[in-house]
Amino acid sequence: DTEVTQTPKHLVMGMTNKKSLKCEQHMGHRAMYWYKQKAKKPPELMFVYSYEKLSINESVPSRFSPECPNSSLLNLHLHALQPEDSALYLCASSREAGETYEQYFGPGTRLTVT
Amino acid sequence: GNSVTQMEGPVTLSEEAFLTINCTYTATGYPSLFWYVQYPGEGLQLLLKATKADDKGSNKGFEATYRKETTSFHLEKGSVQVSDSAVYFCALSANAGKSTFGDGTTLTVKP
């Protein structure tokens, strides 16, 4: 199984809502990532978890809160978002957080903030 | 810091044409290099990779060679198909899983 799954596929939320994005992998990977991708742009790294510990936070606003409950699951909690946060949110995983390991991406959650 | 520069798109080719998408990079240390492909409405998929100088990555008829002397990792395919139409991203990974992506090149192949 080389699949990374993400739910939901689409999410529309108001600026006062609280919602969560979920990501799951069963490849035994010990590194997991959140990216934000705007239309016609490359993915921008938000967070990296290595062995369930947050190892990289790319100065992401606190309205985005990641959580890694176990080695297979990654959540992104959203609160008080702005319209400019509307984007495709991609989850990825890799065997470890090292330079030689390719990342496996999920299909993404298309988020619209109204 | 690290950076990746990709050939600007979009690129439009006829079926069976030869494809080259240029990619050059700037990095400290010894990065690994990757090509990812993104089809409409999907996440990125690894196309090929190379982890050290002079390595050649290949997959599905696509090839790229890690050239340290020219800091390049150009993607090539001898004969493109309509199904190759997608956005292609060159990327490098230098430490702790932190990847740097190029801006992406949109390829359209016409029958």
Side-chain angles (χ1 to χ4, degrees):
Chain A
D1 181 6
T2 58
E3 195 180 20
V4 176
T5 59
Q6 289 188 245
T7 55
K9 286 179 98 75
H10 301 275
L11 178 63
V12 179
M13 60 186 289
M15 289 190 281
T16 57
N17 292 158
K18 283 185 183 181
K19 296 284 185 185
S20 296
L21 309 185
K22 295 185 187 305
C23 173
E24 193 165 1
Q25 57 86 16
H26 295 287
M27 293 178 276
H29 289 174
R30 302 315 300 265
M32 295 186 79
Y33 311 77
W34 280 115
Y35 288 90
K36 173 183 177 180
Q37 187 180 27
K38 295 284 234 181
K40 300 192 185 299
K41 295 290 186 184
E44 299 171 35
L45 183 66
M46 301 174 73
F47 304 103
V48 180
Y49 273 84
S50 178
Y51 286 85
E52 296 140 64
K53 288 188 165 50
L54 182 65
S55 59
I56 295 177
N57 176 342
E58 290 288 90
S59 303
V60 178
S62 60
R63 56 187 185 267
F64 295 91
S65 175
E67 178 196 21
C68 189
N70 61 55
S71 60
S72 300
L73 291 174
L74 187 65
N75 298 322
L76 186 63
H77 303 297
L78 313 172
H79 173 54
L81 295 192
Q82 304 297 309
E84 59 265 29
D85 297 321
S86 298
L88 181 68
Y89 287 84
L90 293 166
C91 173
S93 70
S94 63
R95 188 171 167 187
E96 297 209 1
E99 61 267 17
T100 61
Y101 300 109
E102 64 269 25
Q103 294 181 21
Y104 293 77
F105 285 81
T109 293
R110 175 86 47 200
L111 174 67
T112 303
V113 181
T114 60
Chain B
N2 299 332
S3 67
V4 175
T5 302
Q6 268 183 252
M7 172 176 142
E8 284 190 25
V11 173
T12 303
L13 295 173
S14 297
E15 208 165 21
E16 299 184 5
F18 185 85
L19 168 71
T20 300
I21 301 178
N22 289 340
C23 171
T24 57
Y25 68 91
T26 304
T28 52
Y30 304 97
S32 293
L33 300 173
F34 304 85
W35 277 100
Y36 288 91
V37 59
Q38 187 173 31
Y39 298 99
E42 297 185 12
L44 280 69
Q45 301 173 26
L46 177 71
L47 185 57
L48 50 85
K49 74 174 190 180
T51 58
K52 60 183 188 299
D54 300 324
D55 268 2
K56 177 188 274 190
S58 61
N59 185 28
K60 300 181 183 178
F62 291 90
E63 291 183 342
T65 301
Y66 189 161
R67 302 274 187 214
K68 191 159 180 266
E69 63 277 11
T70 54
T71 61
S72 65
F73 193 54
H74 305 320
L75 182 68
E76 296 183 337
K77 187 176 185 184
S79 175
V80 293
Q81 306 300 312
V82 172
S83 56
D84 293 327
S85 298
V87 181
Y88 291 80
F89 291 98
C90 184
L92 70 82
S93 181
N95 54 47
K98 192 169 173 179
S99 292
T100 301
F101 290 84
D103 285 343
T105 301
T106 300
L107 171 65
T108 302
V109 180
K110 299 194 170 177

